[in-house]
Amino acid sequence: QKEVEQNSGPLSVPEGAIASLNCTYSDRGSQSFFWYRQYSGKSPELIMSIYSNGDKEDGRFTAQLNKASQYVSLLIRDSQPSDSATYLCAVNTGTASKLTFGTGTRLQVTL
Amino acid sequence: KAGVTQTPRYLIKTRGQQVTLSCSPISGHRSVSWYQQTPGQGLQFLFEYFSETQRNKGNFPGRFSGRQFSNSRSEMNVSTLELGDSALYLCASSPELAGTDTQYFGPGTRLTVL
């Protein structure tokens, strides 16, 4: 079983819709959770970090964490074509500054 | 505040050669981590340095090594290059403040081994 799992996609949503990206992790000791966005040929860019169970909102983005279910998700409201990218879920088990990444979900926002 | 910088941005080497990549973290950040990204394996952790000491190491062969200087700048070295070492090498820095371990990535160095 992979440590951090994501559906590779592509996930296709129409412009203006809500995109829902999901991630599961295997290590129950995981403490920090991150979503990065990566455009083709570019480096990962931090979108959100979340540390506690529940929701965390930042503009059009909402991260949701459920440690009991070992599940973290990212919702993108009012999706825009510029949101088309690969979204990487990353988990830190607490062993200082060592992130384990999922393989990423490719999001396509269609006009 | 300037972001993480990496040099060079692109590199072409041949098998058997060695290469050194450089990373300058965000000012004030003391932790520097290195990752390898390939289409097949995704993003994989190489190692992490904090205050000039390697704190964590991933599952890579000893051909991959690194170091950190007193100004927090870091270098990674790959010796005896293999074709499979072709990848995007990413450096990330973290402030290592209490309550946050967020990592910020540099633009990466794209290494091609011929």
Side-chain angles (χ1 to χ4, degrees):
Chain A
Q1 182 189 3
K2 291 183 181 177
E3 294 181 62
V4 179
E5 294 207 46
Q6 296 180 256
N7 188 317
S8 61
L11 173 65
S12 185
V13 300
E15 184 178 5
I18 296 175
S20 178
L21 305 161
N22 304 313
C23 171
T24 58
Y25 60 95
S26 60
D27 190 336
R28 285 196 171 273
S30 301
Q31 299 178 11
S32 313
F33 306 85
F34 305 90
W35 284 99
Y36 287 86
R37 176 177 63 197
Q38 187 173 27
Y39 293 111
S40 181
K42 302 294 186 181
S43 65
E45 172 192 10
L46 179 72
I47 297 176
M48 296 276 287
S49 61
I50 187 165
Y51 300 89
S52 305
N53 280 329
D55 294 0
K56 180 181 178 182
E57 187 174 319
D58 184 1
R60 294 187 297 113
F61 300 95
T62 299
Q64 300 174 317
L65 175 61
N66 184 324
K67 290 186 178 180
S69 300
Q70 296 175 243
Y71 175 94
V72 58
S73 66
L74 179 71
L75 299 177
I76 306 174
R77 290 181 299 281
D78 188 23
S79 294
Q80 301 297 309
S82 59
D83 294 327
S84 298
T86 296
Y87 289 79
L88 298 163
C89 173
V91 176
N92 190 336
T93 60
T95 309
S97 292
K98 176 186 175 183
L99 292 179
T100 301
F101 283 85
T103 53
T105 298
R106 189 157 63 93
L107 173 65
Q108 293 178 338
V109 181
T110 58
L111 295 172
Chain B
K1 202 181 253 191
V4 179
T5 59
Q6 293 187 245
T7 57
R9 294 292 310 279
Y10 302 91
L11 209 47
I12 299 175
K13 293 286 187 179
T14 57
R15 280 182 300 174
Q17 287 187 310
Q18 74 166 17
V19 66
T20 299
L21 312 181
S22 181
C23 170
S24 292
I26 293 171
S27 178
H29 287 196
R30 294 194 293 165
S31 168
V32 173
S33 299
W34 289 90
Y35 296 84
Q36 181 197 65
Q37 187 174 33
T38 59
Q41 298 297 319
L43 261 162
Q44 292 187 290
F45 173 78
L46 280 157
F47 30 65
E48 184 246 352
Y49 287 86
F50 180 81
S51 292
E52 302 179 65
T53 301
Q54 186 181 87
R55 282 200 304 193
N56 277 299
K57 190 176 190 305
N59 297 322
F60 278 82
R63 300 186 297 107
F64 292 82
S65 63
R67 58 177 175 168
Q68 187 181 33
F69 302 95
S70 58
N71 62 358
S72 294
R73 189 178 70 85
S74 177
E75 289 182 346
M76 70 163 279
N77 183 277
V78 188
S79 62
T80 321
L81 284 166
E82 300 178 359
L83 294 178
D85 296 333
S86 294
L88 179 66
Y89 289 89
L90 292 158
C91 165
S93 74
S94 174
E96 286 288 314
L97 298 172
T100 177
D101 52 358
T102 303
Q103 294 187 35
Y104 300 89
F105 284 87
T109 295
R110 186 163 296 281
L111 172 65
T112 301
V113 182
L114 302 176

